[in-house]
Amino acid sequence: MFNQIQNQLHKFVQRGLDHHLRLAVTGLSRSGKTAFITSLVDQLLHVNINDNAHLNLFFPAKNGQIISVKRVEQHDLTIPRFEYDRNRQGFEMDPPEWSPSTTGISEIRLAIKYQRKDSLLRYIKETSTLYLDIFDYPGEWLLDLPLLSQSFKEWSQAQQLVHYGKRAELAQHWLEQIKKLDLSAKADENQLAKLSEDFTAYLLECKAIGMQYIQPGRFVLPSSERGAPVYQFFPLLDLTESDWEQLENSPKNSIFHTLKKRYSHYQHKIVKPFYEDYFSQFDRQVILADCLTPLNHSQQAFLEMKIGLQQLFKHFHYGNRSLFTRLFSSNIDKLLFVATKADHITTDQLPNLEGLMKQLVQEGGRHAEFAGIETAYQAISSIRATEPVIVTQQDKQFKAIRGVRSSDKKVVTIFPGSVPSRLPDSRFWENNHFAFDQFEPQKIDFDQPIPHLRMDSVLQFILGDKFD
């Protein structure tokens, strides 16, 4: 008991002095969270007192204020370690390989030893140490957070709102089976298991064609627990208010009440612990979005990305961090919105990509939710896979990019096209066809920092003020 109290007291003191920072790196599926964390850790681990040319815009490193950065044991030993070494080694291979997608939660902790400047604390202690905790988890988990504030009926109706276009086509087989159900009849375990399999297959098809608003998110991830009843439910579409009222009066062992009970169990036993243990305790937040890939797919895919991002904003605590809040609660005081894969476009399109990200966030005045905290928007590439080149055609020069295209592993030089600076409408897709290719990573030497685009600017925004 004494050790627990001592550990908690130490934690409070560290947080009160701003020596401890919990960073949430969030984003939808395939937005590049694992690549972002791998690069962020790598850039910091390559900081030294002699040469930090890889971080020109991260002033504590450029000015020699950071003395050393090392990995230390994480606080919670029950969480798997973030596989930084494995991810890094993939880029040293020939040919280099991208890191595997995230399937579970992981953590890494860095100890950043530095010389304080412009602070009274430097007279108390010559050097200080900032402990940075970074968490990685599947983007699919994030999409479950809105379920915490929705009843089974509200969730079903929310699913109805996105049930059109390509989604409606893919759902035909599953819905045909649902229409045959008598929802008031006694639940059959085997029947519900089969219908849940059909629903999950539908979700996987949606994900395959670029849809990002996938709920429940954990249904499309591999899991040894997939056969548990808590993962065997589905929304009810096309019900009238009268239908819902009648079903509420059905027997408690009916299909309807069984689905409702499983949904509630999923909320409280699967989603809520994740939110309480991690999401409600972050100090600063980075929200990643791949704005380019949905443009390739369709307007519907792009709109689903927008819906997914805006849903996430509702589940973080935003507000300035006073000494009191640092000690007894965690409110996010800095928020960075990042458009990833900026190396897939030419440099003159970076302002457009940032503008598009800003439009996604601020549409409808939603930026008012972030009043009182420092907010920024950046277009970056965590791990640079292409190089900018100048191409001459018919005596005219054009900006282009060169890299190893993932689809055929060939070195190509292309002009990927223009990025809209504002949210495009349906007419935009009728007149424009995007082809933003995917590229393989560049091979790096064992002692070389991971190549990046603007990660130093990211570090300056997230951590720069902590070294004052």
Side-chain angles (χ1 to χ4, degrees):
M1 176 62 73
F2 176 76
N3 288 336
Q4 289 181 340
I5 295 174
Q6 189 178 45
N7 288 337
Q8 287 297 318
L9 180 61
H10 176 73
K11 182 178 177 181
F12 284 149
V13 170
Q14 291 299 310
R15 173 162 282 179
L17 293 174
D18 255 0
H19 286 168
H20 178 212
L21 189 69
R22 289 170 63 94
L23 176 65
V25 180
T26 62
L28 302 182
S29 175
R30 299 173 181 172
S31 60
K33 293 184 305 303
T34 301
F36 179 90
I37 296 173
T38 299
S39 179
L40 187 147
V41 170
D42 192 76
Q43 308 310 326
L44 288 173
L45 289 177
H46 278 86
V47 171
N48 60 73
I49 59 174
N50 299 316
D51 179 21
N52 293 307
H54 65 297
L55 294 175
N56 282 328
L57 298 179
F58 183 37
F59 299 126
K62 182 180 180 180
N63 298 335
Q65 196 177 347
I66 296 180
I67 300 169
S68 66
V69 182
K70 63 179 181 179
R71 283 179 289 175
V72 294
E73 187 175 67
Q74 62 205 54
H75 178 70
D76 190 341
L77 301 182
T78 65
I79 300 176
R81 288 186 307 115
F82 177 77
E83 293 286 357
Y84 162 75
D85 292 311
R86 182 193 64 187
N87 298 342
R88 161 91 199 186
Q89 289 164 7
F91 304 127
E92 298 174 10
M93 296 172 59
D94 192 7
E97 296 179 352
W98 287 113
S99 309
S101 299
T102 305
T103 58
I105 193 165
S106 61
E107 177 186 0
I108 189 168
R109 168 176 272 205
L110 299 179
I112 307 173
K113 188 177 181 181
Y114 65 98
Q115 172 69 55
R116 277 189 176 270
K117 290 183 179 179
D118 303 323
S119 172
L120 289 174
L121 287 179
R122 65 181 172 143
Y123 298 108
I124 301 174
K125 188 177 182 182
E126 184 179 356
T127 62
S128 299
T129 300
L130 173 67
Y131 291 96
L132 178 63
D133 290 314
I134 311 170
F135 295 86
D136 187 27
Y137 36 77
E140 287 83 359
W141 288 14
L142 299 174
L143 289 172
D144 284 342
L145 293 181
L147 274 61
L148 291 174
S149 59
Q150 295 176 322
S151 66
F152 179 60
K153 175 185 175 182
E154 290 169 336
W155 175 64
S156 295
Q157 292 174 335
Q159 294 301 300
Q160 180 69 54
L161 293 177
V162 296
H163 185 73
Y164 65 92
K166 195 62 180 179
R167 269 186 179 262
E169 293 178 27
L170 296 176
Q172 284 183 1
H173 172 72
W174 165 64
L175 284 179
E176 285 174 2
Q177 308 306 312
I178 300 298
K179 288 177 181 178
K180 299 175 184 177
L181 284 180
D182 178 0
L183 296 173
S184 297
K186 182 180 178 180
D188 183 308
E189 292 280 340
N190 294 325
Q191 183 184 42
L192 291 183
K194 179 61 174 65
L195 290 171
S196 297
E197 284 182 15
D198 292 340
F199 174 60
T200 300
Y202 152 70
L203 292 179
L204 287 168
E205 287 185 289
C206 289
K207 183 179 179 181
I209 62 169
M211 302 298 178
Q212 297 198 40
Y213 190 51
I214 306 293
Q215 290 180 334
R218 287 168 175 79
F219 279 36
V220 295
L221 290 173
S223 172
S224 59
E225 301 175 350
R226 187 62 66 241
V230 70
Y231 293 103
Q232 294 176 345
F233 65 89
F234 42 82
L236 298 177
L237 308 182
D238 300 320
L239 295 184
T240 66
E241 285 296 324
S242 177
D243 292 334
W244 284 102
E245 290 177 8
Q246 291 180 15
L247 288 169
E248 285 292 346
N249 295 322
S250 63
K252 293 302 179 184
N253 63 353
S254 68
I255 293 174
F256 171 77
H257 280 290
T258 300
L259 293 174
K260 188 177 175 182
K261 181 172 69 174
R262 291 179 178 183
Y263 174 81
S264 177
H265 203 83
Y266 187 84
Q267 282 178 305
H268 294 94
K269 299 298 183 180
I270 305 297
V271 182
K272 190 175 181 180
F274 172 60
Y275 177 75
E276 291 179 339
D277 292 343
Y278 304 107
F279 262 64
S280 61
Q281 300 180 38
F282 290 125
D283 303 309
R284 292 187 174 175
Q285 182 183 7
V286 177
I287 295 182
L288 307 177
D290 172 10
C291 298
L292 301 178
T293 302
L295 287 174
N296 277 344
H297 287 289
S298 64
Q299 182 187 20
Q300 188 173 2
F302 188 83
L303 291 175
E304 290 211 5
M305 176 190 66
K306 181 179 73 172
I307 294 171
L309 283 173
Q310 292 171 351
Q311 287 289 326
L312 297 184
F313 304 155
K314 300 177 181 179
H315 295 275
F316 289 87
H317 302 295
Y318 297 113
N320 292 322
R321 296 179 69 229
S322 64
L323 177 63
F324 180 81
T325 59
R326 287 204 303 268
L327 286 170
F328 299 107
S329 68
S330 295
N331 287 294
I332 292 169
D333 64 345
K334 276 196 174 187
L335 179 58
L336 177 62
F337 296 96
V338 171
T340 58
K341 303 182 182 179
D343 61 329
H344 290 34
I345 58 176
T346 52
T347 54
D348 59 314
Q349 295 298 309
L350 293 179
N352 281 6
L353 186 56
E354 286 187 0
L356 184 61
M357 184 68 181
K358 196 169 185 177
Q359 284 278 308
L360 281 168
V361 174
Q362 295 190 353
E363 186 197 28
R366 289 183 176 87
H367 60 286
E369 299 172 15
F370 316 126
I373 65 173
E374 191 173 351
T375 305
Y377 304 84
Q378 295 185 13
I380 69 140
S381 176
S382 307
I383 300 172
R384 188 160 198 161
T386 69
E387 294 295 337
V389 295
I390 300 295
V391 176
T392 302
Q393 289 184 347
Q394 298 178 349
D395 297 327
K396 292 184 178 181
Q397 291 188 326
F398 301 91
K399 290 184 176 181
I401 58 173
R402 178 178 295 153
V404 178
R405 189 165 51 197
S406 296
S407 59
D408 55 13
K409 303 298 188 290
K410 291 183 178 179
V411 178
V412 294
T413 300
I414 62 172
F415 174 71
S418 300
V419 178
S421 61
R422 302 184 66 83
L423 297 179
D425 57 22
S426 58
R427 293 171 296 178
F428 197 85
W429 267 269
E430 294 172 2
N431 301 318
N432 294 272
H433 299 282
F434 299 103
F436 296 112
D437 282 310
Q438 301 295 321
F439 293 90
E440 294 299 285
Q442 302 179 52
K443 185 179 183 302
I444 59 175
D445 295 330
F446 74 94
D447 59 347
Q448 177 187 0
I450 291 175
H452 68 86
L453 179 63
R454 295 174 148 189
M455 281 298 291
D456 47 356
S457 180
V458 167
L459 285 167
Q460 179 62 29
F461 180 80
I462 296 172
L463 300 177
D465 63 317
K466 293 297 178 182
F467 303 97
D468 292 338

